[in-house]
Amino acid sequence: MVIKVGDISIGKDFCVIAGPCAIESKELLTRTAKGIKENISILRGGAFKPRTNRDSFQGLGKEGLNILKEVGEELEVPTITEVMDARDLLSVAE
């Protein structure tokens, strides 16, 4: 199976996917992405971080998705994230 992300073909081309476990802010994601941009094919960041303790950081959710999209566009690098709950599928797909 081959999955296209921008011009990258996962499952066909060699690609390096890297980024932060959780997107905490645009500033941090931008700094991280700039630091690894030359060595990655795809930027990934976790927008949703479900935890067993609901008082723990749960991720930025849709705001995190927007940040990931903005940073990817600004740095011209394709982006991905995980879908942790089927209810978030449409938001992630956008």
Side-chain angles (χ1 to χ4, degrees):
M1 171 185 254
V2 175
I3 299 170
K4 295 281 290 176
V5 179
D7 293 334
I8 306 298
S9 296
I10 300 172
K12 180 181 177 193
D13 302 328
F14 175 79
C15 63
V16 175
I17 302 170
C21 176
I23 299 167
E24 298 180 41
S25 70
K26 183 174 181 186
E27 179 183 337
L28 285 173
L29 182 61
T30 300
R31 189 174 346 144
T32 299
K34 284 181 177 179
I36 63 176
K37 181 182 177 196
E38 298 305 316
N39 298 305
I40 64 170
S41 308
I42 300 171
L43 174 65
R44 63 106 21 233
F48 302 95
K49 302 308 294 178
R51 308 273 196 242
T52 54
N53 181 346
R54 57 190 171 138
D55 293 328
S56 296
F57 179 66
Q58 299 288 316
L60 295 177
K62 291 181 182 180
E63 180 185 352
L65 293 174
N66 291 334
I67 291 170
L68 182 62
K69 181 180 179 181
E70 287 175 25
V71 172
E73 289 174 350
E74 287 172 12
L75 299 180
E76 299 179 335
V77 61
T79 60
I80 60 169
T81 192
E82 298 87 2
V83 176
M84 304 301 291
D85 187 313
R87 292 173 291 190
D88 298 320
L89 187 58
L90 293 177
S91 296
V92 173
E94 289 176 9

